[in-house]
């Protein structure tokens, strides 16, 4: 019930990667959860010049905003391929991304497509969550702490995937604590204060 965010104002332009930086507890994750409709907020949030504050999360997703949560919410009893199917609008790929695209972008997922997602490594689960979100064909994807708990080699792989999204003209709002990754991939960095 307490208000965490005050005076937050920014925009993300088409095809731009914007990193949202700040210390733990500064409101970075709360900001993206509020945009996604997972946390109640006051003020205004606009997407394509239309207000979205107060809309349900699934309506915001259908409008073209994707969200990759920090905790990698995978469906552990489903296979990798089944998890990807859940990301599709209407159960089948539409728009820019196909299953083949995901398996080319994330070759490790192709090797494990019939494996239950619960046995994947942390890096593989992060790839799966990102791939599942992309299957919904978002124009803006908000990614919360994608490198948290990952080995340095996998962190560099995630950075490369983020650069690949930019080449596909997908806007990215990146919540990241690792300054080196944020500075490496972002067009702009915004720092949340108190």
């Amino acid at each position: 019930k307490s208000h965490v965010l005050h005076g937050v104002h920014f925009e993300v332009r088409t095809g731009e990667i914007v990193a949202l930086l700040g210390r733990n507890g500064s409101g970075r994750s709360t900001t993206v959860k509020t945009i996604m409709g997972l946390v109640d907020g006051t003020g205004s949030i606009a997407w394509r010049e239309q207000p979205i504050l107060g809309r349900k999360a699934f309506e915001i997703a259908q409008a073209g905003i994707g969200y990759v949560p920090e905790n990698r919410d995978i469906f552990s009893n489903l296979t990798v391929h089944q998890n990807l199917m859940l990301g599709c609008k209407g159960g089948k790929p539409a728009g820019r991304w196909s299953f083949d695209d995901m398996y080319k972008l994330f070759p490790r997922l192709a090797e494990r497509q019939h494996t239950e997602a619960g046995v994947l490594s942390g890096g593989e689960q992060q790839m799966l969550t990102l791939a599942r979100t992309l299957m919904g064909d978002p124009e803006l994807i908000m990614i919360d702490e994608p490198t948290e708990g990952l080995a340095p080699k996998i962190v560099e792989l995630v950075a490369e995937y983020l650069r690949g999204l930019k080449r596909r003209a997908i806007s990215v709002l990146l919540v990241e604590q690792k300054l080196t990754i944020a500075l490496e991939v972002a067009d702009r960095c915004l720092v949340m204060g108190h």
Side-chain angles (χ1 to χ4, degrees):
K1 298 289 179 188
S2 64
H3 293 259
V4 176
L5 304 173
H6 301 275
V8 177
H9 178 85
F10 64 91
E11 71 177 65
V12 180
R13 295 183 279 274
T14 303
E16 180 180 46
I17 298 177
V18 175
L20 196 55
L21 307 173
R23 292 187 303 219
N24 285 341
S26 63
R28 298 166 301 145
S29 294
T30 301
T31 298
V32 294
K33 288 177 183 175
T34 304
I35 294 168
M36 198 65 214
L38 301 171
V39 173
D40 291 334
T42 58
S44 65
I45 302 171
W47 170 245
R48 296 185 193 142
E49 300 181 14
Q50 298 297 316
I52 60 170
L53 185 64
R55 292 176 67 183
K56 303 276 187 218
F58 76 89
E59 295 171 328
I60 294 169
Q62 289 174 341
I65 299 177
Y67 173 58
V68 178
E70 180 179 5
N71 60 4
R72 302 183 189 128
D73 288 331
I74 57 154
F75 296 90
S76 57
N77 294 330
L78 299 179
T79 67
V80 166
H81 192 78
Q82 290 167 330
N83 267 271
L84 291 179
M85 288 175 64
L86 290 175
C88 300
K89 293 178 183 173
K92 33 189 158 164
R96 293 177 264 212
W97 305 96
S98 68
F99 292 111
D100 287 342
D101 291 331
M102 290 302 105
Y103 294 138
K104 284 178 192 163
L105 187 61
F106 304 101
R108 187 69 179 137
L109 295 183
E111 296 168 16
R112 311 222 33 188
Q113 64 182 294
H114 302 294
T115 303
E116 284 189 0
V119 302
L120 300 177
S121 70
E124 291 167 338
Q125 288 181 7
Q126 187 64 49
M127 291 175 206
L128 178 57
T129 307
L130 181 55
R132 186 185 63 211
T133 302
L134 290 173
M135 290 300 290
D137 199 26
E139 295 173 47
L140 167 66
I141 186 167
M142 299 183 297
I143 308 172
D144 194 354
E145 298 281 0
T147 63
E148 183 66 31
L150 299 181
K153 184 177 178 182
I154 303 298
V155 168
E156 186 50 45
L157 202 54
V158 169
E160 183 54 38
Y161 296 144
L162 294 174
R163 286 188 288 272
L165 294 178
K166 182 177 179 167
R167 290 189 290 270
R168 290 263 194 153
I170 295 175
S171 303
V172 177
L173 179 58
L174 173 66
V175 172
E176 183 54 69
Q177 192 160 335
K178 291 184 174 82
L179 189 58
T180 54
I181 295 299
L183 293 175
E184 185 181 324
V185 301
D187 298 303
R188 289 187 297 134
C189 295
L190 307 174
V191 181
M192 298 200 69
H194 304 290

